[in-house]
Amino acid sequence: MAKKGSDKASSSRPKRGRTATRGRGRGGGGSRPKERAMTSDVRPDSAVDNVADNNGESGSEETEKDVKIEVPVAMWDFDHCDPRRCSGKKLSRLGLIKELKVGARFRGIVVSPKGTAVISPSDRDIILQGGLAVVECSWARLDDVPFSKIASPHERLLPYLIATNPTNYGKPWRLNCVEALAAAFYITGFDSYAEKLLSGFGWGGSFWNVNKAYFEQYKTCKSSEEISAMQETIIAELEESYENSRREKDEQREDGDDLLFRNPNHASLSDEDEPGPESSEDDENSTHV
């Protein structure tokens, strides 16, 4: 996995569905397991999280400023989203992305729901030569997008990932613009570029944390076909985990092992335990709740 500033040095309930065919112009798709992403304690050095050092200053701020994305990053923006919440427009304000006109041709990788192949580490050289672009539009208005006028010889889908943006947090496939770009950069080995983009968003660090296990699995693949196969494995594991969890809950209910049980301290006395009209000395000294 690439270290900070060293992208060129290394590349390093659920229903089964189609292979990645769905997206908010960001190339997600396929089935939608409801299980949360697997997470791990370890994460690489990141320019995303502002962690204070011993002097109380941010240790990552300087690194973020040092990282320069040396490939073109672009988007076709159809103004479907609220400008105040649109991640693409924020990247534009930060000077991290270029807006393209409809009909403009982009020779790099374009993350699009109309792609036929899933992005993979083998696309790294194409990004180095031509850059990375995305379609910024609304999930609800995909039919309004003139995809025929968005020209690129390298359209790609994204594999199964979990959104962490405030609008669609926890939902599979529902990545926004910056998440889609970061995902493509992570998978193709440009980790510091991904973190540079995410650093402009307060929630940006959670995108890696939630999807870390998935990214590490996708990075072991060499081709689009292997990414698709890995995605199916991930989805199958989530389905199995979900079914096992549901089965265990059903068994607990059948066995009466439920958290909702009567407090024995408040149980009423049975007939045989009720004291008679005359009480003994022990009865007088006992307490009943």
Side-chain angles (χ1 to χ4, degrees):
M1 183 180 295
K3 298 295 182 182
K4 293 182 285 188
S6 62
D7 287 314
K8 291 187 176 181
S10 67
S11 64
S12 97
R13 150 207 81 177
K15 296 182 180 179
R16 302 295 294 273
R18 299 167 296 175
T19 301
T21 58
R22 197 185 311 249
R24 182 192 171 198
R26 256 76 79 177
S31 59
R32 298 183 176 183
K34 296 183 179 179
E35 295 290 326
R36 287 296 179 89
M38 296 175 288
T39 57
S40 176
D41 296 334
V42 182
R43 83 167 288 196
D45 293 340
S46 170
V48 174
D49 300 322
N50 291 325
V51 181
D53 57 19
N54 294 332
N55 296 323
E57 299 177 353
S58 171
S60 62
E61 183 177 354
E62 182 177 354
T63 303
E64 291 171 11
K65 293 179 180 179
D66 290 343
V67 173
K68 181 179 179 180
I69 300 178
E70 298 180 353
V71 300
V73 180
M75 70 173 177
W76 287 273
D77 186 5
F78 292 93
D79 295 318
H80 290 176
C81 307
D82 183 344
R84 296 169 298 179
R85 303 174 65 183
C86 177
S87 63
K89 283 183 169 57
K90 183 170 183 177
L91 290 177
S92 181
R93 292 194 297 270
L94 294 172
L96 296 174
I97 198 168
K98 176 183 178 181
E99 293 191 38
L100 299 172
K101 294 182 179 180
V102 175
R105 188 172 180 82
F106 189 81
R107 297 191 176 277
I109 295 292
V110 175
V111 180
S112 167
K114 299 300 181 181
T116 57
V118 185
I119 195 168
S120 73
S122 65
D123 291 317
R124 180 180 173 85
D125 288 341
I126 299 177
I127 293 178
L128 279 172
Q129 296 172 10
L132 179 65
V134 71
V135 180
E136 175 58 89
C137 62
S138 170
W139 281 85
R141 298 177 61 184
L142 285 178
D143 292 340
D144 297 338
V145 179
F147 285 104
S148 61
K149 295 183 180 180
I150 298 174
S152 171
H154 307 295
E155 294 186 3
R156 295 291 187 269
L157 301 163
L158 290 175
Y160 177 86
L161 291 166
I162 304 291
T164 62
N165 63 77
T167 302
N168 292 305
Y169 186 89
K171 296 180 181 180
W173 314 113
R174 297 278 181 166
L175 310 188
N176 64 11
C177 178
V178 67
E179 288 174 316
L181 291 168
F185 274 139
Y186 274 132
I187 291 171
T188 53
F190 297 95
D191 292 38
S192 66
Y193 291 179
E195 296 182 348
K196 175 69 173 181
L197 296 179
L198 291 169
S199 66
F201 301 82
W203 50 265
S206 63
F207 185 62
W208 168 266
N209 292 333
V210 169
N211 292 287
K212 178 179 185 292
Y214 302 144
F215 282 130
E216 291 182 343
Q217 288 174 283
Y218 293 142
K219 281 173 173 284
T220 65
C221 302
K222 297 180 180 180
S223 66
S224 178
E225 292 76 16
E226 290 185 11
I227 290 279
S228 295
M230 181 63 73
Q231 174 183 248
E232 291 303 310
T233 298
I234 289 171
I235 291 174
E237 290 175 350
L238 291 175
E239 287 178 341
E240 182 179 3
S241 175
Y242 176 82
E243 292 299 330
N244 289 340
S245 176
R246 187 176 66 173
R247 189 180 304 112
E248 289 176 0
K249 290 179 181 179
D250 290 342
E251 291 175 353
Q252 289 177 355
R253 282 194 291 267
E254 291 175 359
D255 295 339
D257 184 10
D258 200 321
L259 293 178
L260 298 177
F261 58 87
R262 186 174 59 180
N263 187 337
N265 292 319
H266 295 171
S268 59
L269 295 173
S270 64
D271 292 338
E272 60 182 9
D273 292 332
E274 284 190 14
E278 296 182 3
S279 59
S280 64
E281 182 179 354
D282 291 338
D283 291 331
E284 294 174 353
N285 293 330
S286 63
T287 302
H288 299 284
V289 180

Short mmCIF file of all heavy atoms in Angstrom, two decimals, residues 5 41 159 180 195 260:
data_model
loop_
_atom_site.label_atom_id
_atom_site.label_comp_id
_atom_site.label_asym_id
_atom_site.label_seq_id
_atom_site.Cartn_x
_atom_site.Cartn_y
_atom_site.Cartn_z
N GLY A 5 2.57 10.46 0.00
CA GLY A 5 3.41 11.12 -0.97
C GLY A 5 4.20 10.18 -1.82
O GLY A 5 5.15 10.58 -2.48
N ASP A 41 -8.29 -2.88 13.39
CA ASP A 41 -7.67 -1.90 14.27
C ASP A 41 -6.57 -1.12 13.56
O ASP A 41 -6.24 -0.02 13.95
CB ASP A 41 -7.07 -2.59 15.50
CG ASP A 41 -8.14 -3.25 16.33
OD1 ASP A 41 -9.29 -2.78 16.26
OD2 ASP A 41 -7.83 -4.20 17.05
N PRO A 159 -16.58 -1.50 -7.31
CA PRO A 159 -17.07 -2.70 -6.64
C PRO A 159 -17.81 -2.36 -5.36
O PRO A 159 -17.97 -1.18 -5.02
CB PRO A 159 -15.77 -3.47 -6.35
CG PRO A 159 -14.76 -2.38 -6.13
CD PRO A 159 -15.14 -1.29 -7.11
N ALA A 180 -16.31 8.26 -4.47
CA ALA A 180 -16.06 7.49 -5.69
C ALA A 180 -14.65 7.72 -6.21
O ALA A 180 -13.94 6.78 -6.59
CB ALA A 180 -17.08 7.87 -6.76
N GLU A 195 -6.51 10.28 0.04
CA GLU A 195 -6.57 10.95 1.33
C GLU A 195 -6.52 12.47 1.18
O GLU A 195 -7.10 13.20 1.99
CB GLU A 195 -5.45 10.43 2.22
CG GLU A 195 -5.63 8.95 2.54
CD GLU A 195 -4.57 8.40 3.47
OE1 GLU A 195 -3.55 9.11 3.69
OE2 GLU A 195 -4.77 7.30 3.98
N LEU A 260 -36.21 -10.18 27.53
CA LEU A 260 -37.41 -9.72 28.20
C LEU A 260 -37.97 -10.84 29.08
O LEU A 260 -38.73 -11.68 28.63
CB LEU A 260 -38.46 -9.28 27.16
CG LEU A 260 -38.04 -8.11 26.27
CD1 LEU A 260 -39.12 -7.84 25.24
CD2 LEU A 260 -37.76 -6.88 27.11
#
